[in-house]
Amino acid sequence: MKRIIQMTVNGEPVELAIEPNRTLLQVLREDLELTGTKHGCGLGDCGACTVILDGAPVNSCLVLAVQANGREVLTIEGLEENGDLHPIQKAFVEKGAIQCGFCTSGMILSAKALLDHNPRPSEIDIRTAISGNLCRCTGYQKIVEAIQAASETMAGSGGDAR
Amino acid sequence: MTEFRVLNSRAPRVDAAGKATGRAKYADDLTMPGMLYGAILQSPIAHGKILNIDTSKAKKLRGVKAVVTAKEAGLVKYGVSPARYDETLFAHDKVRYVGDEIAAVAAVDLETAQEAVQLIKVDFEELPAVFDMFEAMKEGAPQLHDEYPNNITAEVHQEFGDTEAAFAECDFVMDHTFLNKRQDAAFIEPHACIAVFDLDGKLTLHTATQVPHYVMRTVAMVLGIPVGNVRVVKPYVGGGFGPKAEATPLEMGAALLSRQTLKPVKMVYSREQVFLHSRARHQFYAEMSLGMKNDGTMVALKNKAVLDGGAYTSFGIATVYYSGSLLGGPYKLKAMKYDGYRIYTNKPACGAQRGHGGVAHRAAFEQLLDKTAVKLGMDPIELRLKNIMTTGDVTINELDMSSLGMKECIEAVRNGSDWNNKKGKLPKGKGIGMACGFFVSGAGYPIYRSDTYHSTVVIKMSEDGGIVNVLTGSAEIGQGSDTVVAMIAAETLGVPLECVRVTSGDTDLSMDLGAYSSRQTLMTGHATKEAAEQVKKQIVDVLAHEMNCHPSSIEFRNGKVLFDGGPGDFRHIRTNYVKEHRGWTDPPTDDYLTFKEAARIAYLKLGTLVGTGKYKPPRLGGAYKGAAVGTSPAYGCSAQVVEVTVDMETGQVTVDDMTDAHDCGLAINRTSVEGQMQGSLSMGLGETLFEEVKFDSRGRILNPNLGEYRIPTALDMPNVNCIIVESNEPNGPYGAKEVGEGAIMPTIPAILNAIYDATGVRINELPVTSERLFMALKKKEGV
Ligand code: FES
Ligand code: FES
């Protein structure tokens, strides 16, 4: 039996009729065609499916879509503003934090959740915040550097963002 | 030194914005109208005869559109190396591992397809299975393939120089053994594909692969259709590292199901199926002896390898050759002997993974050198420097080091890590270790015997002259090849990087063997350069005619045209151009004629401007059997220093610092080079400390997920001090060569040597879990 759910996705209200066993990840990717959120394992191990649910990062493969009823979801597609990349996205591009890109959406959302709560994180704060997001390509260094750079830009230090 | 405008910079990758915003499409992101979903039935047992397959129930399930087994698929044998085609798409007489493919289903949705798979009834007669490579070699062991007695897929026996005589003249001989574990590549994107057959029998296969070209050939062969009727298109790929460098049952199954149903069929591996398909790093056992002089001169090396290959050959023949050939350097030797065996066992097939075939034996060899240095009372760096090869040296197995900054790399890490102040001076529980390695910049020969070009590239100018379209079959899999190709095209044509658009990974665009053996930069780079030079010449010739000047006086720089180094009097060309473009929004106002204007004028004379480039290596290597494996037009090399802390109570190892110097020739993109170095070291760290695919007593994988098969997280990996060493490689485009795989070669032994330095215990079996090290520490205390 399908259930009707309502949620806000990237600022837009959506209403959907879905089977109760479907995950938020499936609904985002298949019903809403927001394929920027990736499926790497479906088991909560890789973090590629990370989205922000009511301000907190979650593995969307472990959340049933019905659990998102009445809540706010932010995916990678919701980060740009007026066609401008979000400072975290910009920093990932500039610092070479992206190789294959499959972990990138999840990484950026974990970074966003961190910086929203902790605008000037230490290196270890950053590493801890992304420790649930696996990346096989980069060795994490440039990802950490990008998040540091973004935190400086976003905190408006006006200083050298490098 | 040449001054570059685009190359050698830190330009952001051309695909970065698309990936940062979720726009970049991967295979599983694609859908098509009317698409069906496929699922595969895999063997639940490790070894057994198939007595009967009953698909009737599955076929009757509502929503099922096709069920295929070996009956429909046929029995065409395929594999990687034509010398060992030992797989069929679906098992017909036997299954050989838990996960062997038996049947596939296409249905209206994934749930129905999976349900149908469960309804297929297979009767087996279970056979005894063998899971250990040494057991499998024994007389009387269960046999996997009748054609290959004693379960030997391939054996190699090579000798260079007179080993016996060389050992006889040595002052002493050091021995070492080493065992690594089966690894998984653990790329974050599981394999996925969509196959579409059209009504006139042509197949388009969108797939997450490293090698569109080889997939095209294999799928055509297995399905029995002309190669020209198959087009393979690679969307963005979420990492490959080797296991995506061959055609999969997923791709062939989807293609077959699409042919049966004439609908697009999508298939995706679950994470568990990625582990079951495997094709990742073999388990290697190494046994080595090194003959030395008392003054620290290396004389002779004996190397024996046994590889656990799993149920099929995959890349295995090349793998077992590489374990021998990649030890010929970077040290001078008088003689070298190699005996290698690659063994079948009832487990998923192993294949190629980053540092193909070389990683485990490099680890053994560099550990052996560390032991030797201890025995000699010599600094391990001095020992290496004493025996090091330099540019122009040829290894004992005839690999030509046309450029080799090995010595520079060693010196760079010695300084960069402050080695001299640390080695021998650290407290107990802290250690420092080093190692070296080298790797091919593209295999010297294709996997099948052929005179084919290894890469061709087409460059086609947009009609308005503003965009350089690079069309290539090469495979961007995350390593950054699209960016390298774009940068080479921009540099060669003298235009800014933004003017270049790369379309890649499509077998209809050009011929390219793909992303394996670290070949894209050198080989696709050469072809790109040649194609760009052709386009440039066409434009220059037209301009020279228009300006009534000599072609050699014309230069393109940053998108501007220089005549004799200045703007020249180009007014008539501009007037012409502006007239042509009445109503266009971007009339040129520059003080110089722009490249765009020039390309447009050339188009008006010649029609669409197209340049084509091609590359294949010259004949390389010796005349002995297997001489092809290990040959390459160029070799990258690297040295690493690692510092660790060992908790002497628990055996827990923490890697504190890593210093890596890599000679990649000219670094086309410095940021990407560092990214490859850091990523390689991370994979090497995982392989050293945690990674092991484990099996139960019946051949089932115990940890087929990324929770229990642990790869490094951001908390495990330290920052790497990356030092780029740039020799000028005569055989590389603009002097460039590899970095993607060579960088992993020294990582394992550098960590192991650091652990020895910290503890006095030599661990020769991976992974170095705290239990393993704890037991070794206890054992040492007991003595
Ligand atoms: S897909 Fe959700 S954690 Fe891996
Ligand atoms: S960039 Fe490939 S997994 Fe992170």
Side-chain angles (χ1 to χ4, degrees), chain A residues 25 38-49 59 61:
Chain A
L25 175 64
K38 300 302 179 200
H39 176 118
C41 69
L43 299 167
D45 292 326
C46 74
C49 63
N59 289 326
C61 70

Side-chain angles (χ1 to χ4, degrees), chain B residues 334-351:
Chain B
K334 251 186 153 168
M336 180 168 86
K337 186 171 182 319
Y338 174 60
D339 298 287
Y341 304 85
R342 198 244 188 210
I343 307 300
Y344 286 124
T345 56
N346 292 109
K347 293 187 290 193
C350 298

Side-chain angles (χ1 to χ4, degrees), chain A residues 46-79:
Chain A
C46 74
C49 63
T50 305
V51 299
I52 297 182
L53 184 62
D54 284 347
V58 294
N59 289 326
S60 61
C61 70
L62 296 183
V63 177
L64 290 175
V66 290
Q67 293 175 288
N69 191 20
R71 301 169 74 180
E72 251 181 67
V73 181
L74 180 70
T75 74
I76 191 72
E77 289 89 350
L79 250 56

Side-chain angles (χ1 to χ4, degrees), chain B residues 648-695:
Chain B
M648 300 298 283
E649 301 299 312
T650 63
Q652 177 75 36
V653 177
T654 309
V655 176
D656 302 319
D657 271 299
M658 300 176 110
T659 307
D660 180 21
H662 192 98
D663 170 19
C664 59
L666 177 89
I668 301 280
N669 184 311
R670 303 186 73 81
T671 307
S672 291
V673 168
E674 290 169 356
Q676 288 301 309
M677 292 164 77
Q678 291 158 0
S680 290
L681 268 65
S682 172
M683 190 176 275
L685 181 145
E687 186 169 2
T688 314
L689 299 183
F690 341 108
E691 295 184 34
E692 173 179 8
V693 178
K694 293 182 180 162
F695 293 86

